[in-house]
Amino acid sequence: MDTPQSTTTHKTYQERGYCSRPGYARIRAVLRACCWLYNHSLEQRKNTYLSDGKGMTLYAQMKELTQLRKEQQFWQDVSVQAARGVLKRVDRAFKAFFRRVKAAEKPGYPRFKPHQRYQCLELSDVSPGMVKGNCIKIKGLPVIRIRSHRRLPDSSQLKALRIVMHGHVLTVDLVYEEESEPLAPVASVVGIDVGVNERMTFSDGKTVSRRMIDRSRETSLQQAISTKKKGSNRRRKAVSAYARERRRNTVRNRNECHQLTTAIVRKYQKIAVEKLAIQNMSRKGGSRKRGLNRSMMEQTWGVLFQQLRYKAEWAGRQFVEVDPRYTSKTCSCCGEVRKEKLAVYRVFVCPACGHTEDRDVNAAKNIKERGAGLPTPYNAGGNPPRSRRESAEKDILVQLSI
Ligand SMILES: [Zn+2]
């Protein structure tokens, strides 16, 4: 196998940011103003459409911004990139809206945002001078210090910057354009089945156990909020304590996922997973299965897949999503499809060849096979069973559509 070529990709480094006490207040003030600008430009687009029957472009709004900056001292004092970032965000919301309309999905017209939920400053035009060592200096904002434990790329490669307030925690996302670092190729393919009983099951029989969250602290913090009077200082403090705990759990999980996915990408050349419509399975997607919902959501398969995808690309490995139909009902040995309902059995027993295996391992093997695009080993001699022939055809169709 050839060593894969390196390509340039955008990579985001998220760092915790620190600034002075008045600094935080200033960031909050700028965020509030940006929220106003967001809502204002949304309204402007809406009104223009209602009166003229035409939408407004990003450039038209940029012109308006220039006017606003002439009139208001506040916007003159804040970096123009930050204000443009707001307009771009509105533009992106509308583009996504039109895309969804075109695709006949649920349209979801862009919404006005309350200032409590507007937490992110985006700068997509950045100058290299904004990041100097451990300091981030942007006009109109306080100096933000980061304490990075890793070496950041050269600031000339900086492409975008985001400053996000998570309650009391400030993070800085630095987006760099970097050359990828392909790993030496290995000749191994793996199929991964995700589930609730085991978080991940590999086609070679290994498993990653399910994520269990200790919610005792979270629950007591939540209860503490309910006893405080609305609008009081004590309630505000209780809310932020709860938010901190939630964030801690998220970060903890992300770290676990990173360790897992890095190990997987190092070990295997081709990683096949099921293409899951996670949204459809949860309650948000209209499903009524509430009991399953939380236990599924907290396994965060989406986070795992997203990390696998970019890490595989970075390492010159392959990440494929295969058609999920019948992966748990097909025999990985002969290809026979078992027709019972899924909840009936934990162990897969093939009605045709008697092959017996853990249900998830069997599914992972099917995923691996589909991902590898290899023909299935048929039973020695004789014609392949009909069901396998059919599903083989289906697999070819899936490959073509990718
Ligand atoms: Zn079989």
Side-chain angles (χ1 to χ4, degrees):
M1 262 185 275
D2 300 326
T3 319
Q5 295 285 308
S6 75
T7 46
T8 52
T9 347
H10 284 186
K11 206 174 184 183
T12 306
Y13 291 74
Q14 190 177 69
E15 302 290 348
R16 176 99 188 252
Y18 302 87
C19 68
S20 64
R21 197 169 271 249
Y24 285 110
R26 174 67 186 163
I27 293 176
R28 287 217 172 82
V30 173
L31 274 172
R32 214 165 167 148
C34 284
C35 181
W36 172 84
L37 185 63
Y38 183 94
N39 289 334
H40 179 75
S41 42
L42 187 62
E43 191 186 9
Q44 200 180 27
R45 284 198 183 220
K46 193 175 165 184
N47 289 344
T48 316
Y49 179 76
L50 288 177
S51 61
D52 307 352
K54 265 183 195 169
M56 241 184 139
T57 62
L58 176 62
Y59 292 99
Q61 292 205 309
M62 293 271 193
K63 268 187 191 167
E64 297 272 334
L65 178 66
T66 313
Q67 193 57 35
L68 181 74
R69 275 169 66 83
K70 272 179 196 156
E71 287 162 12
Q72 287 186 20
Q73 189 61 37
F74 180 89
W75 290 107
Q76 257 177 55
D77 296 339
V78 175
S79 156
V80 70
Q81 279 101 326
R84 279 185 194 149
V86 177
L87 299 185
K88 281 186 184 169
R89 199 165 156 182
V90 177
D91 192 53
R92 208 165 53 219
F94 270 95
K95 279 199 175 124
F97 165 69
F98 289 123
R99 174 182 52 74
R100 287 190 295 263
V101 170
K102 225 176 188 177
E105 287 169 34
K106 215 174 162 191
Y109 188 77
R111 288 195 277 180
F112 292 103
K113 285 182 196 292
H115 69 90
Q116 297 95 321
R117 294 180 68 174
Y118 200 95
Q119 294 153 331
C120 177
L121 284 174
E122 292 182 0
L123 286 85
S124 50
D125 293 315
V126 281
S127 48
M130 284 178 177
V131 182
K132 266 184 199 153
N134 282 335
C135 276
I136 292 162
K137 286 179 184 171
I138 296 161
K139 188 184 168 192
L141 289 177
V143 176
I144 298 169
R145 286 176 201 284
I146 50 176
R147 288 183 208 151
S148 186
H149 58 279
R150 50 194 167 177
R151 239 184 63 201
L152 295 174
D154 190 62
S155 57
S156 63
Q157 286 158 288
L158 189 70
K159 289 290 156 198
L161 207 154
R162 282 188 294 270
I163 296 164
V164 194
M165 288 294 291
H166 309 266
H168 290 282
V169 177
L170 179 66
T171 61
V172 182
D173 295 353
L174 301 153
V175 186
Y176 291 99
E177 189 173 70
E178 271 192 285
E179 290 271 307
S180 67
E181 293 155 4
L183 294 170
V186 286
S188 52
V189 188
V190 73
I192 304 173
D193 180 54
V194 292
V196 176
N197 286 304
E198 302 286 350
R199 198 174 192 181
M200 284 174 143
T201 308
F202 295 84
S203 50
D204 49 17
K206 292 198 182 79
T207 54
V208 175
S209 55
R210 112 182 237 187
R211 177 186 175 206
M212 299 287 272
I213 310 171
D214 179 14
R215 291 198 189 272
S216 53
R217 208 179 127 78
E218 212 178 285
T219 315
S220 67
L221 287 171
Q222 211 165 18
Q223 282 161 357
I225 296 173
S226 67
T227 61
K228 312 267 182 318
K229 205 175 150 191
K230 272 197 174 172
S232 69
N233 230 359
R234 296 180 71 215
R235 187 185 159 100
R236 193 179 47 78
K237 279 182 187 166
V239 167
S240 82
Y242 173 65
R244 253 199 314 277
E245 178 64 18
R246 285 296 294 250
R247 187 175 151 71
R248 230 177 258 143
N249 272 335
T250 312
V251 172
R252 223 172 261 152
N253 174 52
R254 196 164 56 202
N255 180 36
E256 276 164 27
C257 291
H258 269 303
Q259 291 179 3
L260 257 171
T261 52
T262 299
I264 294 168
V265 170
R266 281 200 186 133
K267 196 168 172 193
Y268 303 104
Q269 182 68 31
K270 194 167 188 178
I271 302 148
V273 298
E274 285 172 286
K275 192 176 178 63
L276 293 175
I278 294 168
Q279 285 261 307
N280 294 347
M281 293 191 288
S282 74
R283 205 172 145 79
K284 211 175 167 186
S287 159
R288 279 162 201 273
K289 290 180 281 184
R290 191 173 196 172
L292 200 58
N293 187 36
R294 189 187 222 190
S295 58
M296 272 167 57
M297 295 306 279
E298 66 188 20
Q299 303 308 316
T300 64
W301 302 319
V303 175
L304 288 163
F305 287 2
Q306 182 250 334
Q307 291 181 1
L308 280 175
R309 192 175 296 120
Y310 88 82
K311 283 181 187 179
E313 195 190 330
W314 193 256
R317 302 270 153 104
Q318 285 162 287
F319 175 80
V320 285
E321 287 179 310
V322 304
D323 181 9
R325 272 171 295 181
Y326 301 114
T327 46
S328 348
K329 293 185 182 180
T330 310
C331 172
S332 63
C333 198
C334 71
E336 181 76 16
V337 179
R338 223 181 121 154
K339 298 227 164 58
E340 285 131 274
K341 274 191 180 158
L342 215 55
V344 178
Y345 55 95
R346 286 291 327 152
V347 175
F348 183 89
V349 182
C350 176
C353 73
H355 176 68
T356 311
E357 199 166 34
D358 179 77
R359 195 187 83 188
D360 295 337
V361 177
N362 178 61
K365 283 186 177 171
N366 287 324
I367 294 165
K368 174 187 171 179
E369 228 162 72
R370 287 185 190 187
L374 296 171
T376 328
Y378 296 127
N379 285 336
N383 286 325
R386 202 164 147 257
S387 56
R388 167 47 65 185
R389 203 185 291 147
E390 275 172 6
S391 60
E393 276 166 11
K394 223 179 255 169
D395 284 357
I396 291 165
L397 288 175
V398 171
Q399 279 167 30
L400 286 176
S401 66
I402 286 170

